[in-house]
Amino acid sequence: MKFYATVANSSASQETHETVERIEKRVLDSNPVMEAFGNACTLRNSNSSRFGKYIQLQLNRAQQMTGASVQTYLLEKTRVAYQAPLERNFHIFYQITKGASSSERLEWHLPEGAAFHWLPNSDRTLEEDCFEVTKDAMLHLGIDHSTQNNIFKILSGLLHLGNIHFDDSEDESQVCQPQEDAKCFVMTTASLLWIPKEELMETLRVRTITAGKQQQVFRKPCSRAECETRRDCLAKVTYARLFDWLVSVINGSICAEPSTWTTFIGLLDVYGFECFPNNNLEQLCINYANEKLQQHFVAHYLRAQQEEYAAEGLEWSFISYQDNQSCLDLIEGSPVSICSLINEECRLNRPSNATQLQTRIESTLSSNASLNRNKFSKDPNFIIAHYAGPVQYQIEGMVEKNKDPVPPELTRLLQHSQDSLLQKLFPSQEKEPNDLLGQSRAPVVTVVSRFKSSLEQLMQVLHSTTPHYIRCIKPNSHGHAQRFRAKEVLSQLEACGIVETVHISAAGFPIRVSFQSFLERYDLLRKSYPSQPRPSSRLPSSSPTKEHSGQQPTPEKDAMLQSLIRDILLTLPPTVVTLRDHPEARLTPSPIHCGRTKVFMTDSVLELLEHRRVQTLNKCARCIQFSWRRHQRRKLEKQRWAATLLQAVTRSWLTRKHIQRLHAAATSIKRAWRKWRAKMDSLVSIELDGVEENCFAKVPCPTLSTTLPRPPRETIQLWPLGLLLSNAPVGVIGVRRNLSLQACLQIPCHSNIYKVEATQRDQAGITSIRALPQGSIRFHCKKSPLLYANISPEPQNYNNTGFNQILLDRHRLIPV
């Protein structure tokens, strides 16, 4: 509906847009209200609709939405008073008990944790138990807060009514008394429904009988079972009237005038096929409706298939398929059927007997193959073979449900209520005495009759429109994502009629592909599998083609398409495509046909074509992979060669630059070393020259007593070694000269740090004074960030184990 409202009103005025949005809003708001009052939790579905719904979107001549209407079918009102094991009542009862506020609980007499007999499995919390959503939707539909309060008070009264239980009476002439714990529920129910307590108990326990021409009224006390039946009847009729009133309110807010719309789009949401452990009249009606819809669906599908075959020029008819007409004859057939027998039992003025009804059904309808009976069951039953499977129905209580009797005193009781909503639901209808006397006995309108009449009206609507079917499948019963259970899905497919539809489709040509699509997908077979010569090149049922573009094809295009399709089909084995001129053409039916615009084929031919196509694609993929791998290998080799060349050039350049830097550094070191050595040599030569001049000067040797005054110690420390030797005391030889020289050098006399080597015996003086190694000395130097700062031009073949400084090293001393 949202899609249609968006598309159909894209070019409409603003006023039309607002009207459509208002109608759409109200129709969508009706959904939570209808679900709250008409859906319940069953064994298979947590939100199962217990009524049929048909929504009609009303359109004007401009195909714009002007209104809508809602029609319901067969509300399962018996669920108010009876719930099967592990099932729940309608959602609205759980919503008011869980979502009511403290003030509302006080007003509706719904205390926390209260137990109600008609509210089983209340500990389960479902996503549908959202009371605020229902209240907001009702408010948008025009139901104000006071009316909502009246509705919820009535529902609370029905819950309290279900807790009223009776004890057996001691005598048939005495009424049954309510149980001790039920007396407070009687008062609460009377106050919530605004009816007198005494009148409520009188109506539930006493039956009024009118007999004779004088319309004499007799009052008879009811048994315990009858009291509980009347109690349940009161609850069911009240809830049914309330549900119908809600539907009328919804229609009043969204329905348009008949003169404002001409066409419509209908949406039918009906209950699916049902098969429970105990099936009664409700399941019989539901499955009966599904049988009618399945027959309409099959007829529509077959008609569409046959029309398509005829339009394509194929001579084909579905000879055998499952037809459920025998099942429909068993349920609704004329003159005798199950529905007619049940209605007849309701018209007879006698107590219903389930065993007798079972005997009548078996004796009257035994010729129908769809009828059977479970002989091992003690309860009266019959089995109907539906299209989705056999279902066993219990006969006990079926006639009473079909009668759906509402005693007039119950209606009068609700008419006397002071509640404004109940007065609307049960308006008082006063009739004149003359009308009562002259009124003849009206025929009994049963539940089956009403349902059958509404179903016939619905089928008339379906036959006058173009139907489209949507099948809903639940993958699992727990609502988990990405989890599919095969048994549950298959049972739903059978219940929806999909399995039978697949069988019907498989009986003909389930695969239909247009010429253009066929060529686009399978044209590669013509190039990869050349066709073999055949006796004839004519294909079965070949005819001129039409393109999807809608233009009239030219003869050249027709001939080209026929030639291409013929070449593709002739690549298949001869057993698949049988040509018309072949001798076995009439004996072997062809699984593939060419129509006017489509190619019709079976699953086997499609599998063969797809297998050939996959083989061709695999072959092409292998060729592409070979070429691509060869290209990648060649490209990789080129990249490797280029990388090797670049690496060689780079390494040679780096090595050349490295050698150049080493040569430059070595040159700089050698230049500095030579400069320093030359400087030292010059200093030594100058020093030695001065010493030799002083030594060889012909000056008389003074005595020890006449030695020249020595210069100060600070001056001696700065002298070169030669000056220091020349300044040594003259005339002192031997140990005294050594001690004197050590004193000049400031070397302690008794120190073990320095080694003093004497001259040979024929010479006097000290040869050398060396500093002895004093252990290893480690130098912690920070490495220079420069590349060649720490590289020495000379190899270091020795290890520094100490500082061996030559203080004096003279191989030959000049005698003084």
Side-chain angles (χ1 to χ4, degrees):
M1 185 173 61
K2 287 183 177 180
F3 171 77
Y4 182 80
T6 303
V7 173
N9 298 279
S10 57
S11 60
S13 60
Q14 182 66 25
E15 183 179 357
T16 306
H17 274 295
E18 294 177 357
T19 304
V20 172
E21 290 178 358
R22 176 180 57 83
I23 297 171
E24 176 186 348
K25 176 67 175 174
R26 292 186 178 180
V27 173
L28 294 179
D29 286 336
S30 67
N31 189 55
V33 177
M34 302 292 285
E35 286 188 354
F37 285 85
N39 291 17
C41 177
T42 61
L43 294 176
R44 297 182 179 178
N45 195 348
S46 298
N47 191 28
S48 176
S49 59
R50 310 315 302 161
F51 68 102
K53 179 172 63 176
Y54 175 67
I55 300 177
Q56 193 177 69
L57 305 180
Q58 300 162 351
L59 312 176
N60 57 13
R61 296 183 182 276
Q63 305 303 317
Q64 296 175 351
M65 190 185 307
T66 60
S69 65
V70 179
Q71 185 177 355
T72 60
Y73 303 97
L74 190 65
L75 175 68
E76 190 186 3
K77 58 185 178 181
T78 56
R79 184 171 291 270
V80 177
Y82 172 76
Q83 301 83 31
L86 302 180
E87 293 190 352
R88 300 205 319 174
N89 208 327
F90 292 104
H91 293 323
I92 188 62
F93 291 106
Y94 299 91
Q95 291 181 4
I96 62 175
T97 54
K98 295 180 180 181
S101 61
S102 56
S103 59
E104 291 173 342
R105 290 181 181 278
L106 185 63
E107 183 179 2
W108 302 339
H109 299 277
L110 296 175
E112 287 280 354
F116 296 99
H117 183 68
W118 287 349
L119 212 63
N121 302 316
S122 58
D123 55 335
R124 296 180 57 185
T125 301
L126 301 181
E127 142 179 23
E128 290 76 19
D129 297 340
C130 189
F131 190 39
E132 294 298 327
V133 174
T134 304
K135 292 171 64 177
D136 294 341
M138 295 174 68
L139 187 63
H140 294 161
L141 291 173
I143 304 176
D144 54 11
H145 292 287
S146 60
T147 307
Q148 293 182 25
N149 189 39
N150 290 348
I151 294 174
F152 301 140
K153 285 178 64 177
I154 293 174
L155 296 177
S156 302
L158 296 184
L159 289 179
H160 287 279
L161 180 63
N163 285 357
I164 300 177
H165 299 282
F166 298 90
D167 293 328
D168 292 328
S169 60
E170 299 177 358
D171 189 4
E172 293 183 358
S173 60
Q174 297 180 359
V175 296
C176 298
Q177 297 298 328
Q179 297 178 0
E180 289 297 329
D181 57 348
K183 293 181 180 180
C184 61
F185 293 109
V186 174
M187 297 180 59
T188 306
T189 302
S191 62
L192 290 174
L193 298 181
W194 287 74
I195 54 179
K197 171 189 173 184
E198 294 78 10
E199 188 175 354
L200 173 62
M201 294 303 299
E202 183 74 13
T203 306
L204 294 180
R205 296 184 297 175
V206 179
R207 182 173 50 153
T208 303
I209 302 175
T210 304
K213 295 182 179 180
Q214 291 80 15
Q215 297 292 318
Q216 295 180 357
V217 178
F218 299 93
R219 301 171 61 85
K220 179 183 178 182
C222 300
S223 62
R224 176 183 175 182
E226 291 177 345
C227 291
E228 293 181 353
T229 301
R230 294 169 72 87
R231 175 202 62 193
D232 297 346
C233 181
L234 179 63
K236 290 187 292 185
V237 69
T238 304
Y239 193 83
R241 293 284 185 94
L242 178 61
F243 186 81
D244 294 339
W245 177 81
L246 286 173
V247 175
S248 64
V249 170
I250 294 173
N251 286 330
S253 61
I254 63 177
C255 191
E257 295 293 333
S259 59
T260 59
W261 60 276
T262 56
T263 57
F264 66 90
I265 296 177
L267 174 63
L268 179 62
D269 181 14
V270 296
Y271 14 63
F273 186 85
E274 292 186 351
C275 181
F276 297 112
N278 294 322
N279 304 286
N280 211 278
L281 185 66
E282 296 86 1
Q283 283 69 39
L284 178 62
C285 294
I286 289 173
N287 294 338
Y288 166 49
N290 280 274
E291 288 285 351
K292 294 286 288 185
L293 295 175
Q294 176 66 13
Q295 186 188 46
H296 177 267
F297 171 70
V298 171
H300 170 72
Y301 181 76
L302 289 177
R303 184 171 60 252
Q305 299 295 305
Q306 201 65 42
E307 290 176 355
E308 184 177 7
Y309 289 164
E312 293 292 333
L314 271 69
E315 297 180 0
W316 183 269
S317 61
F318 295 90
I319 300 174
S320 61
Y321 65 92
Q322 183 180 356
D323 188 10
N324 62 343
Q325 185 59 44
S326 61
C327 182
L328 288 174
D329 293 340
L330 177 64
I331 298 175
E332 64 167 5
S334 179
V336 182
S337 62
I338 292 179
C339 290
S340 63
L341 292 177
I342 296 176
N343 288 335
E344 187 177 348
E345 284 290 329
C346 296
R347 296 188 186 97
L348 297 177
N349 191 12
R350 65 180 183 186
S352 60
N353 190 336
T355 305
Q356 186 177 0
L357 179 59
Q358 178 185 7
T359 304
R360 292 190 61 190
I361 291 175
E362 291 179 355
S363 60
T364 308
L365 304 173
S366 58
S367 59
N368 196 307
S370 300
L371 180 66
N372 202 347
R373 179 173 69 91
N374 186 7
K375 300 179 180 179
F376 299 99
S377 178
K378 298 180 180 179
D379 300 329
N381 65 87
F382 61 88
I383 298 177
I384 298 179
H386 293 281
Y387 70 94
V391 180
Q392 178 179 337
Y393 299 95
Q394 307 296 329
I395 301 179
E396 189 67 36
M398 188 173 290
V399 177
E400 285 75 12
K401 290 184 178 181
N402 188 35
K403 289 180 181 179
D404 193 19
V406 180
E409 52 267 24
L410 294 180
T411 306
R412 287 195 296 268
L413 172 66
L414 296 174
Q415 288 175 353
H416 296 164
S417 173
Q418 301 300 318
D419 186 79
S420 59
L421 181 58
L422 284 177
Q423 291 177 358
K424 294 180 182 179
L425 301 180
F426 298 91
S428 59
Q429 298 178 356
E430 299 180 358
K431 296 183 180 180
E432 297 181 0
N434 296 332
D435 296 338
L436 293 175
L437 293 176
Q439 183 182 9
S440 60
R441 188 169 184 176
V444 179
V445 181
T446 61
V447 173
V448 172
S449 300
R450 291 197 299 269
F451 184 76
K452 185 177 180 181
S453 176
S454 61
L455 186 59
E456 289 177 354
Q457 295 177 3
L458 177 63
M459 297 308 299
Q460 291 178 2
V461 174
L462 294 179
H463 285 299
S464 62
T465 57
T466 303
H468 301 272
Y469 288 85
I470 300 175
R471 305 299 191 184
C472 300
I473 302 297
K474 289 184 62 177
N476 58 80
S477 58
H478 302 288
H480 297 311
Q482 301 298 328
R483 183 176 299 177
F484 292 84
R485 300 191 180 276
K487 282 189 176 181
E488 296 181 10
V489 173
L490 181 59
S491 63
Q492 294 178 73
L493 292 175
E494 292 176 349
C496 292
I498 300 298
V499 175
E500 182 58 29
T501 306
V502 171
H503 292 164
I504 295 174
S505 178
F509 297 96
I511 312 300
R512 300 142 201 192
V513 187
S514 64
F515 283 168
Q516 190 66 28
S517 301
F518 189 85
L519 290 173
E520 290 176 358
R521 186 166 184 82
Y522 301 112
D523 187 56
L524 51 89
L525 300 181
R526 181 176 55 87
K527 303 175 182 178
S528 302
Y529 293 90
S531 59
Q532 300 296 331
R534 301 286 179 93
S536 176
S537 60
R538 295 177 59 188
L539 292 175
S541 304
S542 61
S543 57
T545 61
K546 296 180 182 179
E547 295 183 348
H548 289 283
S549 59
Q551 299 177 359
Q552 188 68 22
T554 60
E556 293 78 7
K557 290 184 179 180
D558 290 344
M560 182 183 63
L561 288 176
Q562 290 179 3
S563 176
L564 294 176
I565 294 175
R566 182 180 65 250
D567 293 341
I568 294 174
L569 295 181
L570 289 179
T571 59
L572 300 177
T575 56
V576 177
V577 180
T578 305
L579 303 177
R580 295 182 60 181
D581 296 341
H582 198 269
E584 299 180 357
R586 297 183 179 179
L587 301 178
T588 305
S590 177
I592 184 169
H593 286 273
C594 291
R596 293 188 175 90
T597 61
K598 297 180 181 179
V599 178
F600 295 81
M601 52 187 167
T602 59
D603 293 334
S604 59
V605 178
L606 179 65
E607 292 178 0
L608 179 60
L609 288 172
E610 288 296 325
H611 179 67
R612 291 285 187 90
R613 184 174 182 271
V614 169
Q615 288 181 343
T616 305
L617 291 177
N618 291 339
K619 182 179 178 181
C620 296
R622 286 193 294 270
C623 294
I624 294 174
Q625 289 175 356
F626 296 157
S627 302
W628 175 253
R629 289 172 181 171
R630 183 172 59 250
H631 168 72
Q632 289 291 100
R633 182 61 60 87
R634 291 177 178 177
K635 183 178 178 181
L636 183 60
E637 292 297 332
K638 291 181 180 180
Q639 290 177 351
R640 287 179 178 175
W641 180 82
T644 304
L645 182 61
L646 290 175
Q647 289 176 0
V649 172
T650 303
R651 287 170 181 170
S652 63
W653 181 81
L654 290 176
T655 304
R656 191 181 303 110
K657 298 296 292 184
H658 179 66
I659 296 300
Q660 290 177 0
R661 284 194 293 267
L662 289 179
H663 287 175
T667 304
S668 299
I669 294 172
K670 288 190 291 184
R671 185 184 302 112
W673 171 255
R674 289 169 181 171
K675 183 178 179 181
W676 177 80
R677 190 61 181 264
K679 184 177 180 180
M680 291 296 104
D681 291 343
S682 64
L683 291 176
V684 170
S685 61
I686 295 173
E687 181 180 345
L688 293 178
D689 290 342
V691 171
E692 290 179 356
E693 290 176 0
N694 293 331
C695 292
F696 289 98
K698 294 184 177 182
V699 180
C701 297
T703 61
L704 292 173
S705 59
T706 60
T707 55
L708 296 175
R710 297 183 61 184
R713 171 178 282 183
E714 291 81 3
T715 306
I716 293 175
Q717 290 179 356
L718 299 176
W719 283 357
L721 181 58
L723 296 179
L724 185 63
L725 293 175
S726 62
N727 198 40
V730 180
V732 181
I733 61 175
V735 178
R736 293 183 62 187
R737 182 177 176 83
N738 295 342
L739 294 175
S740 178
L741 185 60
Q742 293 181 15
C744 293
L745 294 175
Q746 296 182 359
I747 298 175
C749 296
H750 302 285
S751 175
N752 297 326
I753 301 176
Y754 302 95
K755 179 181 179 181
V756 180
E757 293 181 358
T759 60
Q760 299 179 1
R761 291 182 180 181
D762 55 348
Q763 296 180 0
I766 298 175
T767 302
S768 64
I769 298 176
R770 298 176 181 271
L772 296 178
Q774 300 297 321
S776 62
I777 300 175
R778 297 182 180 180
F779 295 92
H780 299 275
C781 301
K782 183 177 180 182
K783 189 175 181 181
S784 174
L786 300 178
L787 184 59
Y788 301 103
N790 300 311
I791 297 178
S792 175
E794 296 181 358
Q796 298 179 0
N797 297 325
Y798 59 89
N799 295 328
N800 292 327
T801 59
F803 189 72
N804 191 10
Q805 180 181 6
I806 301 175
L807 301 179
L808 177 60
D809 192 358
R810 299 279 296 189
H811 295 285
R812 183 173 59 87
L813 296 177
I814 301 174
V816 296

